[in-house]
Amino acid sequence: MNCIKHIFSFCLLMGVTACTQGINETIESAYQFPVLPEPSYKFSRNGESSVNTLECEFLKTPIDRIFSRYMNEARMGTQMEYDKAIRMFCEGEYGLKPQNEIATSSLHLTDREKILKDFSSWFDTSAHISGLGQEKPYEHRNMEAQRGITGYVGVNIGDKDICFVDKKGIAVAEVYKYAIMGAIYLDKILNVHLSEDVIDNSKVRSAHDLTQLSVGHNYTELEHHWDLAYGYYRFWESIAQSEGLPALKDSPRRIFHSFVRGRTYMETSRYDEIKLQADTIRHELGRVVAVRAMDLLAGANTLANLKESPKQAFRLLSQAYGLIYASQFARNAQGKPFITYEETRKLLQTLEQEGGLWDKERLLGEEKAEGSLRHLAAQIGERFGVLLEEIKK
């Protein structure tokens, strides 16, 4: 025993000596701490996966096709094309209908009809931009956008990187794309699958404790709700990336780890811990929506484009418009939206007023100037607890 003690003391002494040679001299050790592998979202029961998120992809497919095939390229100039786009929105694929999945949580049912009308108006505006109802639809579509006139924004109509805007300069395809990120995906993550109606439900918990599996499947109801929330979050993952924004540093990692931990805690029915993970996801996703919208409004890239060539900022500002719309589906720790439907519409009127995105001088005004992008970004930040300084890279 004494021998072992002497050996240990000798090793400790050598370690200390190695670290303290010389005065204020730093000696780097060759030892490197092992890098622990990142957790993965993989769970199984009886040797088979217990995770099924196919619903998420099935729903996303028609949503993406509407964007890429019809709205993004303004290909709704004939009644047939318009009808196909609407049919895809209403009927979807694999039994999942995008229209039926918009604002389905109990938190947003009262505003659902108004929200559906907004989506309908974006379809109609896209059709107008495409030339529907015009004698020569494609000639109308191929016009360059001007103040008060719909058309394309880009070098020329053959440019791959162009977008089509309405009279206010708003690219409704981008609005649709990002608005649906909130009206379907975010609403399902936060207000349906991670809601108290699921996590605190005594029947759902009891069935999980007894390992009562859904008919024909390898998961409990509680597990499936959590998995679907994660499946829909995957569509937000790229938006959550910080890309140099201090306010989003490590946000994707925290969200992902919370999803993994929450699902892991289900194995031992640790419901308090599960709720804590859900709270983290809500908090982080709320910041993601706000920070991204603020950066698209008043970030260095947007402001530089607006100053030098205003039309080059239209796509970014339209994405901000869509994210502002999506922000009404985020919720705070008390279970309430950070911002209501009416408040959202009021904020968006800032971008739509007068000449819309063509009003360069108004948009570039100081933060205290109502109607400026900085003022609008600050208003969003105030509701979500994010300062304008936090979006500076």
Side-chain angles (χ1 to χ4, degrees), residues 53 56 185 188-190 193-194 224-234 259:
T53 59
C56 308
Y185 305 148
K188 285 187 175 295
I189 297 167
L190 304 181
H193 298 303
L194 297 186
H224 193 46
H225 275 293
W226 194 270
D227 294 341
L228 289 176
Y230 173 68
Y232 284 115
Y233 163 67
R234 295 298 300 275
F259 269 115

Side-chain angles (χ1 to χ4, degrees), residues 66-327:
I66 291 170
F67 172 77
S68 61
R69 187 178 297 177
Y70 298 104
M71 300 188 78
N72 191 44
E73 295 188 1
R75 300 291 183 184
M76 299 170 69
T78 68
Q79 191 64 45
M80 181 181 294
E81 289 170 324
Y82 176 80
D83 291 343
K84 283 182 178 179
I86 296 298
R87 190 179 306 116
M88 191 171 291
F89 184 66
C90 296
E91 299 179 6
E93 297 177 348
Y94 309 106
L96 291 168
K97 305 173 182 180
Q99 179 180 252
N100 290 359
E101 304 300 326
I102 285 179
T104 57
S105 70
S106 58
L107 202 60
H108 295 283
L109 280 179
T110 54
D111 295 319
R112 189 168 189 274
E113 287 304 314
K114 289 181 284 188
I115 293 167
L116 285 173
K117 285 181 180 178
D118 290 336
F119 276 91
S120 179
S121 71
W122 294 326
F123 275 103
D124 290 344
T125 302
S126 188
H128 175 68
I129 295 171
S130 303
L132 183 63
Q134 300 291 323
E135 184 177 348
K136 297 180 179 180
Y138 289 104
E139 286 187 11
H140 178 88
R141 169 192 179 273
N142 293 347
M143 293 191 303
E144 185 175 4
Q146 300 178 46
R147 186 186 182 101
I149 300 176
T150 68
Y152 74 87
V153 169
V155 177
N156 55 59
I157 192 61
D159 185 6
K160 291 183 178 180
D161 188 29
I162 63 173
C163 63
F164 293 85
V165 302
D166 66 7
K167 294 179 180 180
K168 299 284 187 177
I170 298 172
V172 291
E174 298 292 342
V175 173
Y176 158 85
K177 178 181 178 180
Y178 285 89
I180 218 162
M181 293 282 291
I184 295 184
Y185 305 148
L186 197 61
D187 192 38
K188 285 187 175 295
I189 297 167
L190 304 181
N191 308 318
V192 176
H193 298 303
L194 297 186
S195 70
E196 288 79 4
D197 292 342
V198 171
I199 296 176
D200 291 341
N201 189 303
S202 59
K203 290 183 178 179
V204 172
R205 285 187 176 187
S206 178
H208 178 74
D209 292 339
L210 296 171
T211 320
Q212 292 179 1
L213 305 182
S214 299
V215 179
H217 298 287
N218 195 32
Y219 46 72
T220 67
E221 183 179 354
L222 181 61
E223 290 170 340
H224 193 46
H225 275 293
W226 194 270
D227 294 341
L228 289 176
Y230 173 68
Y232 284 115
Y233 163 67
R234 295 298 300 275
F235 307 147
W236 273 92
E237 208 166 17
S238 61
I239 298 176
Q241 299 300 319
S242 67
E243 295 180 348
L245 288 170
L248 294 184
K249 184 180 180 182
D250 292 331
S251 190
R253 185 174 180 273
R254 284 193 289 268
I255 295 172
F256 176 69
H257 281 217
S258 291
F259 269 115
V260 175
R261 290 191 192 108
R263 188 61 155 80
T264 303
Y265 287 136
M266 288 182 188
E267 296 173 1
T268 51
S269 299
R270 297 172 63 181
Y271 296 112
D272 287 344
E273 292 291 347
I274 292 168
K275 289 179 66 175
L276 286 175
Q277 302 309 314
D279 287 343
T280 299
I281 294 166
R282 293 189 194 104
H283 172 74
E284 292 293 336
L285 271 178
R287 282 184 66 83
V288 166
V289 180
V291 170
R292 277 292 170 216
M294 292 168 69
D295 182 52
L296 285 166
L297 285 170
N301 191 28
T302 300
L303 296 180
N305 279 316
L306 194 60
K307 289 175 183 177
E308 297 174 12
S309 179
K311 289 192 289 186
Q312 299 308 311
F314 287 1
R315 187 195 297 273
L316 298 174
L317 292 174
S318 299
Q319 291 172 358
Y321 187 113
L323 279 177
I324 295 170
Y325 194 91
S327 69

Side-chain angles (χ1 to χ4, degrees), residues 345-363:
R345 292 301 325 177
K346 187 175 180 180
L347 288 177
L348 291 175
Q349 287 173 3
T350 300
L351 293 174
E352 297 171 319
Q353 65 180 295
E354 301 170 9
L357 304 187
W358 295 94
D359 287 344
K360 172 182 174 179
E361 298 305 319
R362 170 177 61 83
L363 295 176

Side-chain angles (χ1 to χ4, degrees), residues 335-387:
K336 301 294 183 182
F338 286 96
I339 183 171
T340 66
Y341 173 85
E342 287 73 20
E343 291 171 331
T344 302
R345 292 301 325 177
K346 187 175 180 180
L347 288 177
L348 291 175
Q349 287 173 3
T350 300
L351 293 174
E352 297 171 319
Q353 65 180 295
E354 301 170 9
L357 304 187
W358 295 94
D359 287 344
K360 172 182 174 179
E361 298 305 319
R362 170 177 61 83
L363 295 176
L364 287 174
E366 296 297 323
E367 181 181 335
K368 61 183 179 181
E370 291 190 18
S372 73
L373 295 177
R374 292 182 180 88
H375 182 75
L376 177 55
Q379 285 184 292
I380 296 167
E382 183 179 348
R383 287 167 170 80
F384 284 83
V386 181
L387 300 174

